[in-house]
Amino acid sequence: MATARRERYRKQTREEAKAVALAQLSESGTAGISVNAIAKAMGMTGPALYRYFASRDELLTELITDTYRDLAETLARAVADATPADRFRALALALRDWAKRQPDRYLLIYGTPVPGYQAPPETTEIAAGLMRTIVDACATVGGDGVGAGDGGAGGSGAAMSGGQPLTELEAALARHLEGAGPWVAGEEPGGALKGRALRTWTRLHGVISLDVQGQFTGMGFDPSVLFEAEIDALVRGG
């Protein structure tokens, strides 16, 4: 019983610390996250909070992992609820909506890297899994018929895509996706689709990142209209 109470208290304390850290993130960015400042806001001493998080980097890892998982679950739900033809649009709109609702968390994982912070393998694995959702959604757009089985997904330049060697970009993405575990037999997409997914992902983030950071302010148009136009262009294969 006493052990269970301690575990509950430990979990509550860690969750409260993460909530305060997110508030700091909103106010000052990643550079403003301080374990000692978090402890003070919680009515604790710095050394006491270090019993729950060994370092600032461990706390950052928790925040980043939680954020990636939340985004991955959001996109997976959006895709699951859409028809095959609408999966890409549903995913793109869900991504922008998620980023606009919590811009600080968006910038935590897609903004300026934290100086001196090295992401552990588990965050890379979650990011790779999220990218696989993007790849699957991109199989329904582009108009070129590239889909699962259009060539190997191996990480070497000798792998094939539609009978041609993978480009450096396609091979690099294939290596990144290896961190998400094996594909279901017969369902692994080829390198061309993976490469297209990466290019699509960067185009969506280009508009979203500028929007989240307020770069369209004063330009006289609705950023959502620009984002919709980008989706339409990607669906057509443009």
Side-chain angles (χ1 to χ4, degrees):
M1 183 74 82
T3 300
R5 278 200 300 271
R6 283 196 299 271
E7 284 302 314
R8 284 199 302 272
Y9 180 73
R10 179 177 179 79
K11 182 177 180 180
Q12 290 168 358
T13 301
R14 286 173 63 88
E15 291 301 318
E16 183 180 354
K18 288 193 287 185
V20 174
L22 286 174
Q24 288 185 348
L25 180 68
S26 177
E27 294 172 3
S28 309
T30 52
I33 295 179
S34 161
V35 173
N36 286 328
I38 292 169
K40 182 177 180 181
M42 296 172 63
M44 301 174 65
T45 64
L49 187 55
Y50 275 111
R51 291 202 296 268
Y52 298 90
F53 292 99
S55 65
R56 184 205 66 158
D57 282 4
E58 182 180 320
L59 175 56
L60 272 174
T61 294
E62 286 273 339
L63 295 177
I64 290 169
T65 301
D66 288 351
T67 300
Y68 267 127
R69 284 181 177 145
D70 184 43
L71 176 56
E73 291 169 2
T74 297
L75 298 187
R77 284 195 301 271
V79 170
D81 292 340
T83 64
D86 292 333
R87 281 175 187 162
F88 174 73
R89 185 177 298 275
L91 178 143
L93 293 174
L95 172 62
R96 181 178 185 271
D97 178 69
W98 182 91
K100 293 287 286 182
R101 283 188 289 103
Q102 36 195 350
D104 300 313
R105 295 182 80 193
Y106 174 84
L107 292 174
L108 175 65
I109 57 176
Y110 292 119
T112 304
V114 181
Y117 175 76
Q118 183 65 44
E122 57 262 34
T123 60
T124 303
E125 291 168 7
I126 296 170
L130 188 149
M131 193 64 203
R132 288 178 65 164
T133 303
I134 310 303
V135 171
D136 290 341
C138 282
T140 64
V141 300
D144 57 9
V146 178
D150 66 329
S156 72
M160 304 298 286
S161 172
Q164 299 297 320
L166 294 184
T167 65
E168 182 178 347
L169 174 65
E170 292 164 353
L173 181 57
R175 289 192 295 272
H176 172 65
L177 292 174
E178 288 173 1
W183 297 80
V184 175
E187 294 185 7
E188 180 170 3
L193 174 54
K194 292 174 181 177
R196 187 173 70 210
L198 181 57
R199 292 189 295 272
T200 297
W201 192 230
T202 57
R203 285 174 63 175
L204 294 178
H205 277 296
V207 179
I208 292 172
S209 294
L210 290 171
D211 191 6
V212 164
Q213 296 179 77
Q215 298 300 320
F216 294 127
T217 301
M219 294 183 69
F221 64 86
D222 183 351
S224 66
V225 176
L226 175 62
F227 192 69
E228 287 277 3
E230 188 70 351
I231 293 174
D232 289 341
L234 288 165
V235 168
R236 293 193 304 269

